[in-house]
Amino acid sequence: MPPRPDPSPLAGAGAPLAGLRVLELGHFVAAPFATRLLGDLGAEVIKVEPPGGDPVRQWGARHNGHAPWWSVHARNKRCIALDLKRPEAREIVLGLVRHCDAVVENFRPGQLEKLGLGAAAMKAARPDLVIARISGYGQDGPYRDRAAFGVIGEAIGGLRHLTDHAPGTSDLPPVRVGVSLGDSVAGIYAALGLVAALWRRDRRAPLSGPGCGGEAGGEAGRGAEVDVALTESVFSLLEGALPDYSTLGTIRQPSGGGIATAAPTNAYRARDGIWVLIAANSDPLFRRLAKLMGMPELVEDARFADNQARVRNVAELDALIGAWAARFDGRALEAVLAEADIPSTRAFTIADCAADPQFRARDMVREVEDPLHGPVLHPGVVPRIDGAVPPPRSTGPEIGADTAAVLRELLGMEKEAVAALQEAGVLRARG
Amino acid sequence: MPPRPDPSPLAGAGAPLAGLRVLELGHFVAAPFATRLLGDLGAEVIKVEPPGGDPVRQWGARHNGHAPWWSVHARNKRCIALDLKRPEAREIVLGLVRHCDAVVENFRPGQLEKLGLGAAAMKAARPDLVIARISGYGQDGPYRDRAAFGVIGEAIGGLRHLTDHAPGTSDLPPVRVGVSLGDSVAGIYAALGLVAALWRRDRRAPLSGPGCGGEAGGEAGRGAEVDVALTESVFSLLEGALPDYSTLGTIRQPSGGGIATAAPTNAYRARDGIWVLIAANSDPLFRRLAKLMGMPELVEDARFADNQARVRNVAELDALIGAWAARFDGRALEAVLAEADIPSTRAFTIADCAADPQFRARDMVREVEDPLHGPVLHPGVVPRIDGAVPPPRSTGPEIGADTAAVLRELLGMEKEAVAALQEAGVLRARG
């Protein structure tokens, strides 16, 4: 097994967030995803886990005893394990906060306060701290104490209702977007809010301003509390639905595989069962498609003469395209559509993504050596900044892998002290 | 009609991005959404549109001749109208770039270069510029020139395949997530990358460092190019799918309204057709649900004894819960589930979101006065920073509303010069 590289300070040198140190008090998806993004951009991340580990370590199928997701979810992080119910652990966390620029957490609102680790306690340790808090419903309001479940939050955010076949088309339930969308989007928003607050805290005055070039701006040194709700993160994606409703009284409805205001655009099934997306919803594209289908007369047909007509008669149109598509296997269908320059693609599975030349060329799919697994394919860094991005500095480590090193570096704690605290059940350290 | 407020510099005073000036060369969804988020956080945004306006102004149903979405999509922005094909307009843009910290654009790769407005030209005007570029496939790689359609990008990102009923369950096509998800997520990532690059550019050295308190860090003054692809933004949401595939060979499949690894969690239809989400996928929650259903014996049933068993027999279990749920109307079903403290909710329509007490309490749904519409409900600010957020400084204005004011303020251009350029068709100014 190759030795584990150390993702410690300055390892992200040159990357946009190099020099930033973030403490994660997170678990599951949202907060750990936020810090993963920050680590991808060069920040040093210290993740605090319970001695039993973040439950994600065991989610889904395992390889070599570990969830492969962990390799990605905790990459570029130093992992330390503490029992936060112990007062000694609380003191350690506050000691670390003193050395950190920011904290990201997704405990249920009020829970960190009960542990003596609320925003007030952390700010007392580090007055200019930026704290990003992620929760189901937000840190205040009448529902803040409700249990947060992703599927519930996505439904309250209005997305589940819209992710369905058109009313009356199917007896099946509206589908869940096939990923923990609300958690992930909340994580991205938390990262955005955190960096925005840091820009305010850390920036120099405008270069054109008076003083010694690097003079501090008016808000310099000001910390912040960032409050991200899963429900609100989802709700923020609804485009014009709210203003449309308030001015026109319209309640947006789902439209299945298509788009309510454009046609034809849908998924069509090829002979071998592969779904192929075809977006031919402009007059020139539709003309090309009709010709390709051997039915050039469709563009003269009053039912399909322009987008409005096509939207009105979309069921008939989709049936015609579907019947044509079903004459080809998926790959062949893709090929004839590409040849005719009509926007189209099969619905990629993860195998398709992994093999895609564009993802490969841009390092969005990259083989990484993981001491726990051997080679693992990792997704790349989004957003990409200044061209090519170096590979991850480390993969997700074992529980407590960095406890001793971090406590020594930041708190000056000797090996023996760490061992004593481990003995007492306050922390878990490895090696 | 009330006079339009001016969303100009320092109007976001105290907000995290107050003092930041961003130029948008955007259209449709992704880039305008990125700048909307930046404007929500206090940045001054100047949007450049063609004289005919951003097509979103006319998308969907209209109220008083304008798409209500525009009220939100262009809030806190100053809108100027230029014909970028004209050399005079190009000079104006480069003049504005000189006064801006950052640019956000979503032209097809290479198109701005053709207009003489590529990254090199903009950096010549402003060497420390941060440019965020959003495209379908990214700024390089073999597919960078392909036309970007949201539905195509979402399919290539792997999401369409996963947003469907389980294989073999339905003949209907996989559904589109009911919003322009790829565009919006790309927009959030672009905002994140932009602010991260600005933090590197603008920050002081650590306060503990040597020098005059505000000394510049090593990377101070360094601009950046942020490159966000729609496909990659979607692909970034796939959690463990890629590492699972590479280590175990598993290809993730869709699981309809449920979750592949937990049961019961799904949408169940009430008597009146309302879909109600129930997440009772832990042993204690399932026990409560079984009792509520009047079938406490289910927890002893070997088919449902633990989560693994319930996942194996999820179809039978969902049928039992579905039959029980169908005895209630939606509101009544919600009430009995809430009473039993089982995580649950109906799938919110936009009407439900608009009325939700938690969204209202946190200003996530707020009435805003719009000169073009009268009162309009606006979604709030995500992420929320430092508690309550002030209302928008302005709503989306008419085409060219700010052309004259911006060109006067930033370029010192007189009224007569603006009128002459308008006469010549280079720009469009109002009033």
Side-chain angles (χ1 to χ4, degrees):
Chain A
M1 192 185 284
R4 173 169 178 261
D6 183 355
S8 60
L10 303 180
L17 298 185
L20 180 67
R21 187 182 286 143
V22 180
L23 190 73
E24 179 202 311
L25 299 170
H27 49 288
F28 302 121
V29 180
F33 188 57
T35 56
R36 200 210 94 196
L37 297 174
L38 297 171
D40 280 356
L41 296 179
E44 180 195 353
V45 176
I46 300 169
K47 176 183 173 77
V48 177
E49 284 176 283
D54 186 325
V56 170
R57 289 177 175 277
Q58 303 302 327
W59 274 10
R62 269 162 268 174
H63 177 260
N64 292 349
H66 302 271
W69 186 13
W70 188 256
S71 179
V72 175
H73 205 45
R75 72 186 182 193
N76 300 326
K77 298 185 188 180
R78 308 173 91 188
C79 288
I80 71 174
L82 299 173
D83 179 357
L84 294 183
K85 296 197 197 79
R86 303 288 294 264
E88 302 95 322
R90 175 184 175 272
E91 288 312 309
I92 290 173
V93 169
L94 292 176
L96 294 175
V97 165
R98 232 165 263 135
H99 296 278
C100 287
D101 296 283
V103 169
V104 182
E105 66 94 356
N106 64 338
F107 280 80
R108 202 161 156 163
Q111 220 175 328
L112 279 179
E113 282 73 7
K114 275 186 206 151
L115 295 167
L117 289 168
M122 290 204 261
K123 278 189 234 166
R126 171 93 187 205
D128 68 349
L129 189 70
V130 171
I131 313 175
R133 323 191 70 167
I134 308 174
S135 59
Y137 305 91
Q139 299 294 325
D140 56 22
Y143 299 165
R144 72 160 219 155
D145 294 323
R146 292 198 179 176
F149 278 63
V151 294
I152 304 294
E154 286 154 21
I156 288 175
L159 197 66
R160 180 62 82 107
H161 173 70
L162 292 174
T163 305
D164 194 7
H165 295 284
T169 320
S170 164
D171 283 332
L172 293 164
V175 303
R176 173 175 173 264
V177 178
V179 296
S180 296
L181 186 74
D183 283 296
S184 294
V185 174
I188 309 173
Y189 272 125
L192 169 61
L194 185 149
V195 179
L198 286 168
W199 182 79
R200 175 175 69 183
R201 186 190 82 174
D202 294 341
R203 80 188 170 110
R204 308 184 308 279
L207 291 173
S208 50
C212 84
E215 192 187 2
E219 302 280 353
R222 177 173 168 190
E225 238 181 290
V226 179
D227 172 359
V228 174
L230 189 155
T231 48
E232 295 168 359
S233 299
V234 170
F235 180 60
S236 79
L237 305 172
L238 299 194
E239 304 161 349
L242 184 65
D244 280 358
Y245 169 69
S246 74
T247 53
L248 300 161
T250 48
I251 295 178
R252 189 170 294 186
Q253 298 298 339
S255 55
I259 296 179
T261 55
T265 170
N266 212 324
Y268 304 89
R269 184 140 60 174
R271 187 167 51 195
D272 54 1
I274 301 283
W275 289 100
V276 174
L277 282 290
I278 303 177
N281 49 306
S282 75
D283 291 338
L285 287 172
F286 180 59
R287 183 171 306 117
R288 259 184 268 163
L289 177 63
K291 193 175 156 208
L292 182 66
M293 289 166 63
M295 305 174 81
E297 69 278 10
L298 288 183
V299 299
E300 312 297 334
D301 191 319
R303 293 172 301 168
F304 312 128
D306 60 20
N307 186 59
Q308 283 199 320
R310 291 193 296 268
V311 165
R312 272 197 309 274
N313 301 295
V314 67
E316 289 166 81
L317 182 56
D318 277 347
L320 287 170
I321 301 172
W324 171 75
R327 289 163 41 197
F328 301 86
D329 280 344
R331 294 290 178 150
L333 181 58
E334 277 193 305
V336 296
L337 287 161
E339 176 73 19
D341 206 17
I342 293 166
S344 53
T345 181
R346 69 189 177 286
F348 272 35
T349 66
I350 195 65
D352 295 315
C353 293
D356 182 63
Q358 180 74 1
F359 283 146
R360 290 279 181 171
R362 285 172 55 83
D363 281 335
M364 281 298 136
V365 172
R366 162 142 68 182
E367 193 174 292
V368 170
E369 193 61 32
D370 184 324
L372 302 178
H373 295 285
V376 179
L377 290 181
H378 271 229
V381 172
V382 180
R384 206 166 77 148
I385 300 185
D386 294 338
V389 170
R393 307 185 290 283
S394 69
T395 51
E398 293 183 86
I399 300 173
D402 301 297
T403 307
V406 168
L407 299 192
R408 186 180 61 241
E409 262 177 52
L410 296 186
L411 304 183
M413 203 177 277
E414 300 294 342
K415 214 171 168 178
E416 295 71 24
V418 171
L421 287 168
Q422 169 143 263
E423 186 67 29
V426 172
L427 58 76
R428 181 167 166 185
R430 181 173 289 272
Chain B
M1 193 184 283
R4 175 169 176 258
D6 183 356
S8 60
L10 305 180
L17 298 184
L20 180 68
R21 186 182 287 144
V22 180
L23 190 73
E24 178 202 312
L25 298 170
H27 49 290
F28 301 123
V29 179
F33 188 57
T35 56
R36 200 210 93 194
L37 297 174
L38 298 170
D40 280 356
L41 296 179
E44 180 195 353
V45 176
I46 300 170
K47 175 183 174 76
V48 177
E49 284 174 283
D54 187 325
V56 169
R57 290 178 175 276
Q58 304 301 327
W59 274 11
R62 270 162 265 171
H63 177 259
N64 292 349
H66 303 270
W69 185 12
W70 188 256
S71 180
V72 175
H73 205 45
R75 72 185 183 194
N76 299 327
K77 297 185 188 178
R78 308 172 91 189
C79 288
I80 72 175
L82 299 174
D83 179 358
L84 293 183
K85 296 196 197 79
R86 303 288 293 267
E88 303 95 321
R90 174 183 176 273
E91 288 313 309
I92 290 173
V93 169
L94 292 176
L96 295 175
V97 165
R98 233 164 262 136
H99 296 278
C100 287
D101 295 282
V103 168
V104 182
E105 66 94 356
N106 64 338
F107 280 79
R108 203 160 155 163
Q111 221 176 328
L112 278 179
E113 282 73 7
K114 275 186 205 152
L115 296 167
L117 289 168
M122 290 204 262
K123 277 190 232 164
R126 171 93 187 205
D128 68 349
L129 189 70
V130 172
I131 312 176
R133 323 192 70 167
I134 309 174
S135 58
Y137 304 91
Q139 299 294 324
D140 56 22
Y143 298 165
R144 71 159 219 156
D145 294 324
R146 291 198 179 176
F149 278 62
V151 294
I152 304 296
E154 285 154 23
I156 289 175
L159 197 65
R160 179 63 82 104
H161 173 71
L162 292 174
T163 306
D164 194 5
H165 296 283
T169 320
S170 163
D171 284 331
L172 292 165
V175 302
R176 174 175 172 262
V177 178
V179 296
S180 296
L181 186 74
D183 283 295
S184 293
V185 174
I188 310 172
Y189 273 125
L192 169 61
L194 186 149
V195 179
L198 285 169
W199 182 79
R200 174 175 69 182
R201 187 191 81 174
D202 294 341
R203 81 190 169 108
R204 306 185 309 278
L207 291 173
S208 48
C212 82
E215 193 188 1
E219 301 279 354
R222 178 172 168 192
E225 236 180 291
V226 178
D227 173 357
V228 175
L230 189 154
T231 48
E232 295 168 0
S233 300
V234 170
F235 180 59
S236 80
L237 305 172
L238 299 194
E239 304 161 350
L242 184 66
D244 280 359
Y245 168 69
S246 74
T247 53
L248 300 162
T250 47
I251 295 178
R252 189 169 295 185
Q253 298 297 340
S255 55
I259 296 179
T261 55
T265 170
N266 212 324
Y268 304 90
R269 185 140 60 174
R271 187 166 51 193
D272 54 0
I274 302 284
W275 289 100
V276 174
L277 284 289
I278 303 176
N281 50 306
S282 75
D283 291 340
L285 287 172
F286 180 59
R287 183 171 307 115
R288 260 183 268 162
L289 177 63
K291 194 173 157 212
L292 182 65
M293 289 167 63
M295 306 174 81
E297 68 278 9
L298 289 183
V299 301
E300 312 297 334
D301 190 319
R303 293 171 301 167
F304 312 128
D306 60 19
N307 186 58
Q308 283 198 319
R310 291 192 296 268
V311 165
R312 271 197 309 275
N313 300 293
V314 67
E316 289 167 82
L317 182 55
D318 277 347
L320 287 170
I321 300 172
W324 171 74
R327 291 164 39 198
F328 300 86
D329 279 344
R331 294 290 179 150
L333 181 57
E334 278 192 307
V336 297
L337 287 160
E339 176 73 18
D341 207 16
I342 293 166
S344 53
T345 181
R346 70 190 175 287
F348 272 35
T349 66
I350 195 65
D352 295 316
C353 293
D356 182 62
Q358 179 75 1
F359 283 145
R360 290 280 181 170
R362 285 171 54 82
D363 282 334
M364 281 297 136
V365 172
R366 162 142 69 181
E367 193 172 293
V368 171
E369 194 60 32
D370 184 323
L372 303 178
H373 295 285
V376 179
L377 290 181
H378 271 229
V381 172
V382 180
R384 206 167 77 148
I385 300 185
D386 293 338
V389 170
R393 307 186 289 286
S394 68
T395 51
E398 293 183 84
I399 299 173
D402 301 296
T403 307
V406 168
L407 299 191
R408 188 181 58 240
E409 262 177 52
L410 295 187
L411 304 183
M413 202 178 278
E414 300 294 341
K415 213 171 169 179
E416 295 71 25
V418 171
L421 287 167
Q422 169 142 263
E423 187 67 27
V426 171
L427 57 77
R428 180 167 167 185
R430 181 174 289 272

